[in-house]
Amino acid sequence: MVQRMDLGLTDNHIGGNFEWEREPCCDLLKGAVDDEQFVFVSNFVSGQDGPNSFYIMTLDADGRLARSDGLSISYCPWCGTKIDARKRYPTS
């Protein structure tokens, strides 16, 4: 069973509470965002129609944040594909 951590991040940076415009490359990455909340998705995007920034919050041995910012990932840790997923944003 996955235990969710309270990292003090705002809701718009945590998976599972938004719809995808373009889904992640594989079910493992999508599940890490939507279900496990292990991989986080920023509201920052690359370019006009680019992907959102994905990152992982690193923890030390006692479960505390090892660094204040996340470790940015550009390629899927499971399938190796360049991440091109994007959150759906309101049109108005």
Side-chain angles (χ1 to χ4, degrees):
M1 172 175 272
V2 175
Q3 188 175 34
R4 294 185 179 170
M5 296 171 285
D6 180 14
L7 300 177
L9 300 173
T10 60
D11 285 344
N12 64 353
H13 281 265
I14 297 177
N17 61 351
F18 59 85
E19 293 182 29
W20 294 102
E21 181 177 320
R22 289 193 307 261
E23 290 196 358
C25 49
C26 70
D27 288 339
L28 293 173
L29 180 58
K30 186 174 186 300
V33 174
D34 292 340
D35 302 329
E36 298 176 30
Q37 296 186 351
F38 171 71
V39 176
F40 302 93
V41 181
S42 171
N43 276 334
F44 298 109
V45 295
S46 301
Q48 180 88 15
D49 193 39
N52 287 93
S53 298
F54 283 62
Y55 59 97
I56 297 171
M57 297 302 287
T58 55
L59 304 177
D60 59 21
D62 65 0
R64 295 185 184 157
L65 288 175
R67 50 190 276 182
S68 61
D69 57 343
L71 177 65
S72 178
I73 57 173
S74 299
Y75 291 84
C76 176
W78 292 276
C79 73
T81 303
K82 183 163 180 57
I83 296 173
D84 189 42
R86 183 179 171 94
K87 290 180 179 183
R88 182 178 311 279
Y89 293 99
T91 55
S92 55

